[in-house]
Amino acid sequence: MPLISSSRSLAQRFLKLRNDGSKFFYSHPLKTSARRWIDVVQIVDLRPADRLLDMGCAEGLLTMEAAPLVTHAHGVEISKARVERATTEARRRGIGNVTFEAGSVTDFDPNPGYDVVLLLSVIGKKTETGYVGLAELERLARATRRQIIIRIGYHLGYERKGLTIPTIFAKLDELDFDCIALCHNPNVSPLIVGNRRGTDARLRLVPPLALIPTESLKGHPCLQGATVGKFSDFTPNAS
């Protein structure tokens, strides 16, 4: 089945991530392709009682944006300088329910677990012994009670490392997650959403393009109760 998209470059990027095992993947234009970077917080299923982990949080801007929607948000970043900047900025903003620590995904202990885990642009990055791969993803996913959000990119050679959308979908399916990939901008990597089966995990707003491991969007569990957003819904909030 051909890839359907209102953006040629977006289709080319998705095709680049496909492999021989992905012939049943179907891309569906939910709305005219957006041109802006998405506000991830508008998609993620964040709730007042949640504990959120933002692994690879950089300066913690997204962590701080999510903090008012949860009980506690915790960011982990390998750069100590970035952690210091994030901590200083959170203090300046008066955000009391967010914490940051210096650490690596390879040695961070996610137990006893988090309701929602963000793993954005971490998969595929170099480590002292190799790169962040499916083993690290599995460890974090096992500690995820309801929803995990993964952002993969094209600049780190993911495909050569076997870290394609289909292989990540397969790993999450093995760990009892329903999966969908959401693409909002032809110039930005897709977001892979994993909703743990047996929970009431959901998406809040759905961006313009969805890639799912089925022939149809009809009845897909990740889309139950979701709303297709307007362009303005996917504009990052000013910090």
Side-chain angles (χ1 to χ4, degrees):
M1 180 176 294
L3 206 64
I4 302 171
S5 173
S6 59
S7 167
R8 181 180 177 184
S9 61
L10 176 58
Q12 290 173 337
R13 287 181 182 276
F14 265 137
L15 284 170
K16 182 179 178 182
L17 287 172
R18 292 174 58 147
N19 62 18
D20 293 339
S22 65
K23 62 182 179 179
F24 296 112
F25 280 62
Y26 177 59
S27 176
H28 190 286
L30 298 173
K31 194 176 178 68
T32 303
S33 184
R35 298 293 178 183
R36 298 173 179 174
W37 166 239
I38 197 168
D39 184 348
V40 176
V41 174
Q42 298 288 42
I43 291 179
V44 183
D45 183 15
L46 298 175
R47 308 181 188 182
D50 282 352
R51 295 181 69 246
L52 167 71
L53 172 64
D54 187 1
M55 176 59 65
C57 65
E59 285 80 13
L61 298 180
L62 181 55
T63 323
M64 287 183 271
E65 186 177 352
L69 302 176
V70 299
T71 290
H72 187 81
H74 185 61
V76 178
E77 168 58 42
I78 197 168
S79 167
K80 292 182 179 180
R82 283 181 161 182
V83 169
E84 290 174 1
R85 288 196 292 270
T87 301
T88 299
E89 180 63 15
R91 188 180 302 116
R92 186 188 71 81
R93 296 189 189 186
I95 304 174
N97 66 328
V98 64
T99 52
F100 298 98
E101 71 170 289
S104 168
V105 64
T106 58
D107 55 26
F108 177 76
D109 184 2
N111 295 308
Y114 294 83
D115 299 286
V116 177
V117 171
L118 304 179
L119 189 63
L120 307 181
S121 295
V122 174
I123 294 288
K125 285 191 173 180
K126 290 182 179 180
T127 66
E128 292 182 357
T129 58
Y131 60 87
V132 180
L134 296 180
E136 289 76 19
L137 170 60
E138 178 171 346
R139 189 157 53 87
L140 288 176
R142 288 187 181 281
T144 302
R145 288 191 280 267
R146 191 173 69 251
Q147 187 177 77
I148 186 168
I149 308 291
I150 303 155
R151 178 180 164 195
I152 62 174
Y154 307 102
H155 60 293
L156 295 176
Y158 292 99
E159 197 170 27
R160 293 193 301 275
K161 299 170 182 175
L163 299 172
T164 61
I165 287 178
T167 60
I168 292 174
F169 273 14
K171 174 56 66 174
L172 290 177
D173 176 68
E174 173 189 320
L175 298 171
D176 211 24
F177 287 84
D178 292 314
C179 305
I180 191 169
L182 303 173
C183 199
H184 47 280
N185 187 319
N187 299 311
V188 179
S189 308
L191 293 174
I192 297 177
V193 177
N195 287 343
R196 183 171 288 285
R197 298 182 186 118
T199 69
D200 62 345
R202 59 179 183 262
L203 295 169
R204 299 173 67 195
L205 288 176
V206 176
L209 195 73
L211 183 70
I212 59 177
T214 66
E215 291 285 350
S216 171
L217 286 173
K218 184 177 180 181
H220 193 278
C222 286
L223 295 176
Q224 300 303 307
T227 301
V228 178
K230 300 176 182 179
F231 289 158
S232 59
D233 294 323
F234 299 101
T235 302
N237 295 331
S239 58

